[in-house]
Amino acid sequence: MSLQEKLDTFKAHWETNVAPPDAVAALHRQTDELIASGQADRALKAGDRAPEFTLFDSDGHPVSSTALLAKGPLVLTFYRGVWCPYCNLDLQALEEAVGSLRDLGATLVAVSQQTATFSRKAQRDNHLSFPILSDAHGDLADAFGLRYAMPQYLIDVYKGFKLDLAEINGDPSWTLPIPARYVIAQDGVIAYAEVNPDYTTRPDPGELIPVLESLRSDAVA
């Protein structure tokens, strides 16, 4: 079963059998509004230069994009949090593909606004071999054009599910990144970008392989 098939199966079950209809309607409304805002179209895309960053992993160690890119291309995925089942399925699919990415010289990291405690839980629960870096206050997501503020009606829905993002993220702003996946070439230029304001739709990790193969070919040529 493909990643998107798994996401669609989960969505159908959750929206039909688990979530209250008013919560489902609110989630759909917010997705529609985010799409209509055009923010995803304004986010960084292929051909743009990626912002440099130094973030901390879940053990408190600094990780810099400069050091990662010195070793090869960087695959960067923006992760909403351990509370998001769609994001967890996405991370699991990336974990299945990470060996192929590494064989092509790439490093994979996830970036989340959640605190280190929740990132460690996400790594354990999803059996990840790659790190989740802490993007405090969503500063890196903002630099990529991904960070957005949740509307009050959706905050109320999250609180109804006992999800307090102010606590999970260690930040009272109630902001999130639009889910996104990037491949950054060693010269710092974005070679691939997938930004989708519909968090229930994610690209298959297999899309990364030809991008990385092309970068390897260019480096050899």
Side-chain angles (χ1 to χ4, degrees):
M1 187 181 292
S2 70
L3 170 58
Q4 193 57 52
E5 287 171 337
K6 291 178 182 178
L7 295 170
D8 291 343
T9 298
F10 174 84
K11 181 180 180 179
H13 170 74
W14 189 81
E15 292 191 352
T16 303
N17 302 311
V18 179
D22 58 340
V24 173
L27 290 165
H28 286 194
R29 173 186 170 189
Q30 195 274 330
T31 296
D32 290 342
E33 290 175 349
L34 192 54
I35 292 170
S37 75
Q39 181 174 345
D41 297 327
R42 297 188 296 273
L44 295 186
K45 55 184 65 69
D48 291 333
R49 180 161 295 279
E52 295 182 2
F53 64 83
T54 298
L55 301 176
F56 291 91
D57 67 17
S58 59
D59 294 319
H61 301 130
V63 178
S64 78
S65 58
T66 301
L68 295 176
L69 289 170
K71 298 185 291 185
L74 174 61
V75 177
L76 189 66
T77 188
F78 284 87
Y79 173 62
R80 290 169 10 125
V82 69
W83 49 270
C84 174
Y86 300 94
C87 297
N88 291 323
L89 287 169
D90 191 32
L91 290 189
Q92 291 164 26
L94 285 166
E95 178 61 33
E96 291 177 3
V98 71
S100 298
L101 305 183
R102 289 171 179 156
D103 287 344
L104 289 166
T107 300
L108 169 64
V109 298
V111 173
S112 174
Q113 289 177 226
Q114 67 189 359
T115 64
T117 297
F118 291 100
S119 288
R120 286 193 293 270
K121 175 175 170 53
Q123 288 174 282
R124 289 194 306 269
D125 291 355
N126 294 298
H127 308 290
L128 304 182
S129 63
F130 58 89
I132 300 177
L133 307 181
S134 179
D135 182 21
H137 313 297
D139 290 340
L140 185 61
D142 193 52
F144 273 84
L146 304 171
R147 183 173 179 258
Y148 68 95
M150 295 175 62
Q152 185 59 51
Y153 69 81
L154 196 62
I155 294 174
D156 294 339
V157 168
Y158 274 49
K159 288 182 175 179
F161 287 125
K162 308 300 182 186
L163 283 173
D164 185 351
L165 293 193
E167 176 186 357
I168 293 170
N169 292 347
D171 173 48
S173 68
W174 282 83
T175 60
L176 285 173
I178 298 174
R181 191 177 298 160
Y182 289 93
V183 175
I184 304 171
Q186 286 192 269
D187 61 1
V189 174
I190 296 169
Y192 167 96
E194 171 65 29
V195 180
N196 196 328
D198 181 357
Y199 62 90
T200 69
T201 300
R202 306 295 174 97
D204 191 275
E207 292 186 13
L208 301 170
I209 300 301
V211 179
L212 294 172
E213 287 177 337
S214 177
L215 290 176
R216 169 169 279 191
S217 296
D218 290 344
V220 172

